[in-house]
Amino acid sequence: MQVKISKTQVDRMTAGQILADKEVKGFVARKLDSGAVTYGYRYRDKMTGKQRWLGLGLHGNITADKARDLAKKAAGEVANKQDPVAEIEEARAEAKREKAAAVNTVNSVIDAFIKRHASNLRSADQIEHAFDAYVRKPLGAKSIYDVKRSEIVTMLDGVEDEAGPVMADRVLAHVRKAFNWQAARDDEFKSPIVRGMARTKPKERARKRALTDEEIRDVWKALESAEVPVCYPRYVKSLLVTATRRNESSEMNSAEIDGDLWTIPGARYKTKLDHVVPLTDQAKALIGAKPEGFKGNSWFVFSTTEGKRPFSGFSKAKKDLDAEIAKIRKADKRDAMPRWTLHDLRRTARSLMSRAKVPADHAERVLGHVIGGVRETYDRYEYLDEKRDALEKLAGLIELILKPRADNVVQFAEAAK
């Protein structure tokens, strides 16, 4: 029914009735079953041909004349090949994006990623350190929707300059996972990370660094004088004498030790299987006694909280240790020690076992590596004597390295029998 829409006409409407205005084509009033009357403008988008409905307001909140004026304005926009509904939708989407941008900063995404995902990983502390050391300062305050590829590249340049290309790639991997995690739950976010940002090739990232005898002596000497937590020297030495990984040793708990056997539970071991490490006298000397005043039944062996929590201040302690090594070598007028990591001690232990004539299979079992061809049924105590012998020979060689003598060759020959 075409009439001039007015308050009088609207007040006479019945539920479900629609009035079309005779002055402005497309301007209508519609009475809903609820009794409310809504004004609107109907038109076809000239680009797509789709029919559109532009709500103009509810009767009572807006007058019929005011609604007609809005309909005229919309008709003029449509005549100019504009789409009023699309413009409103885009404005709303932009407002939504702006609101999300204010909340979803890189820092907030990192925090959520760590809490909901990374905290469950064995490498959680390494991931968090990478974010804290290299990502938060340059990008943390930015909205994730505004992070550009060039900014990622600039950040990685800084990491490479400070810590090398391998670390840059590790940071890239952590950021990529965090951004992909966010993209999976955010319709508006698209990660700016693309292929080609890595600084090394996979084969180049595989480290082969093993410390020389001189470097081992430097590390041991620096541990005696470096300003590091009391547990740190024992902890670092344990990495070499037990050939374990960083977190495996740092999280050593007294409950895992039975006599001269340390069983690393599969829940925190890379292979997901229990791994038994025979403890040499050298290793047992590093474990120490129950912390004074500790009331529990089990405690963390390497701890700055009297056994309550495992040691975790890796970054600062390592920097202090490196500074002490540099000081020692400078005093001796020697070149600076090449960059090394705590994991290099595990690789060094493997190298030393080869020097001590430990059979390759036995040395690999000490490291917890899977040996091809072994039976599928796993026995945690399998090859225990062989592993004990390998670690005893490793301990003997370490002693000879730390206390070099002219008759080292003879001494080692006897120890290796």
Side-chain angles (χ1 to χ4, degrees):
M1 181 177 178
Q2 275 196 337
V3 295
K4 180 178 180 180
I5 297 175
S6 65
K7 181 179 183 303
T8 301
Q9 293 290 348
V10 169
D11 289 342
R12 294 174 181 171
M13 292 177 71
T14 58
Q17 185 179 3
I18 297 177
L19 295 180
D21 192 70
K22 66 179 182 180
E23 292 185 1
V24 179
K25 183 179 179 181
F27 174 44
V28 298
R30 181 171 58 184
K31 189 163 188 175
L32 308 177
D33 291 339
S34 64
V37 175
T38 179
Y39 295 112
Y41 175 64
R42 293 186 297 196
Y43 67 97
R44 286 191 179 276
D45 177 22
K46 292 191 176 182
M47 298 296 292
T48 64
K50 292 182 179 180
Q51 184 165 314
R52 295 286 213 173
W53 167 268
L54 176 64
L56 301 175
L58 288 175
H59 179 62
N61 294 335
I62 188 174
T63 65
D65 290 338
K66 178 63 177 176
R68 183 180 291 101
D69 289 341
L70 293 175
K72 286 180 180 179
K73 180 181 177 183
E77 292 175 353
V78 172
N80 289 327
K81 298 184 178 181
Q82 293 177 260
D83 187 348
V85 172
E87 291 174 2
I88 291 174
E89 290 174 346
E90 177 58 31
R92 289 173 178 169
E94 180 61 27
K96 183 179 178 181
R97 284 193 292 270
E98 289 178 358
K99 182 178 180 180
V103 176
N104 289 331
T105 62
V106 172
N107 274 338
S108 66
V109 169
I110 286 174
D111 291 339
F113 173 72
I114 291 173
K115 178 181 178 181
R116 296 183 179 276
H117 177 72
S119 61
N120 300 318
L121 303 178
R122 191 176 288 113
S123 57
D125 60 322
Q126 299 175 39
I127 296 172
E128 190 165 0
H129 167 69
F131 287 140
D132 291 345
Y134 304 113
V135 182
R136 291 187 186 273
K137 185 175 180 179
L139 298 179
K142 289 186 68 71
S143 163
I144 57 170
Y145 309 105
D146 295 334
V147 177
K148 297 180 174 59
R149 294 177 186 175
S150 59
E151 292 175 312
I152 298 291
V153 172
T154 299
M155 177 191 72
L156 295 175
D157 286 344
V159 179
E160 184 173 6
D161 292 342
E162 179 179 343
V166 174
M167 178 56 75
D169 282 351
R170 288 177 184 168
V171 171
L172 174 62
H174 297 325
V175 174
R176 178 188 287 113
K177 287 181 180 178
F179 280 10
N180 287 345
W181 176 84
Q182 177 66 17
R185 54 181 56 215
D186 185 343
D187 294 334
E188 303 297 327
F189 177 63
K190 183 177 180 181
S191 175
I193 296 176
V194 296
R195 294 186 59 158
M197 288 184 171
R199 305 307 167 96
T200 64
K201 296 179 180 178
K203 289 184 178 179
E204 294 172 348
R205 289 197 289 272
R207 285 180 60 82
K208 299 178 181 179
R209 175 93 157 89
L211 274 62
T212 65
D213 292 1
E214 180 184 58
E215 290 172 339
I216 293 172
R217 288 191 289 269
D218 286 339
V219 170
W220 255 241
K221 183 177 180 180
L223 286 169
E224 296 175 0
S225 54
E227 294 184 4
V228 293
V230 175
C231 68
Y232 190 69
R234 293 187 293 113
Y235 161 65
V236 173
K237 293 175 182 179
S238 75
L239 296 175
L240 181 62
V241 302
T242 62
T244 49
R245 298 177 180 87
R246 190 180 80 167
N247 284 10
E248 292 163 4
S249 188
S250 70
E251 297 175 11
M252 180 192 288
N253 192 283
S254 62
E256 300 169 354
I257 301 171
D258 183 11
D260 69 344
L261 297 181
W262 168 30
T263 301
I264 306 174
R268 64 181 190 85
Y269 199 69
K270 190 172 183 178
T271 63
K272 306 301 182 184
L273 300 171
D274 290 355
H275 178 62
V276 180
V277 181
L279 297 172
T280 62
D281 289 341
Q282 198 179 48
K284 286 187 285 187
L286 300 173
I287 292 175
K290 180 178 180 178
E292 186 177 349
F294 187 84
K295 297 180 180 180
N297 295 322
S298 62
W299 59 92
F300 289 101
V301 172
F302 305 114
S303 173
T304 57
T305 56
E306 298 181 335
K308 297 176 184 177
R309 294 185 297 277
F311 174 74
S312 60
F314 302 106
S315 180
K316 184 179 185 306
K318 177 62 163 53
K319 286 182 179 179
D320 291 338
L321 175 58
D322 285 340
E324 190 66 17
I325 293 172
K327 181 179 176 182
I328 291 171
R329 293 174 74 102
K330 184 177 181 180
D332 294 342
K333 297 182 179 180
R334 290 182 286 146
D335 292 337
M337 182 169 167
R339 179 178 172 275
W340 67 288
T341 68
L342 293 180
H343 191 74
D344 292 337
L345 293 172
R346 175 175 161 87
R347 197 175 295 106
T348 302
R350 176 64 180 86
S351 177
L352 293 179
M353 281 188 278
S354 292
R355 280 174 57 185
K357 307 302 180 185
V358 174
D361 282 2
H362 298 167
E364 290 299 301
R365 289 185 175 95
V366 168
L367 268 62
H369 290 165
V370 177
I371 308 299
V374 300
R375 67 177 186 271
E376 293 183 2
T377 302
Y378 178 72
D379 179 357
R380 73 178 72 178
Y381 298 110
E382 196 172 28
Y383 295 99
L384 192 59
D385 290 338
E386 289 82 356
K387 290 197 290 185
R388 180 180 285 107
D389 180 65
L391 286 167
E392 291 288 358
K393 288 180 177 178
L394 171 62
L397 183 50
I398 291 172
E399 286 298 323
L400 291 174
I401 289 171
L402 295 175
K403 300 176 182 177
R405 298 193 311 224
D407 57 348
N408 260 357
V409 175
V410 176
Q411 292 288 334
F412 177 66
E414 293 176 354
K417 288 180 180 178

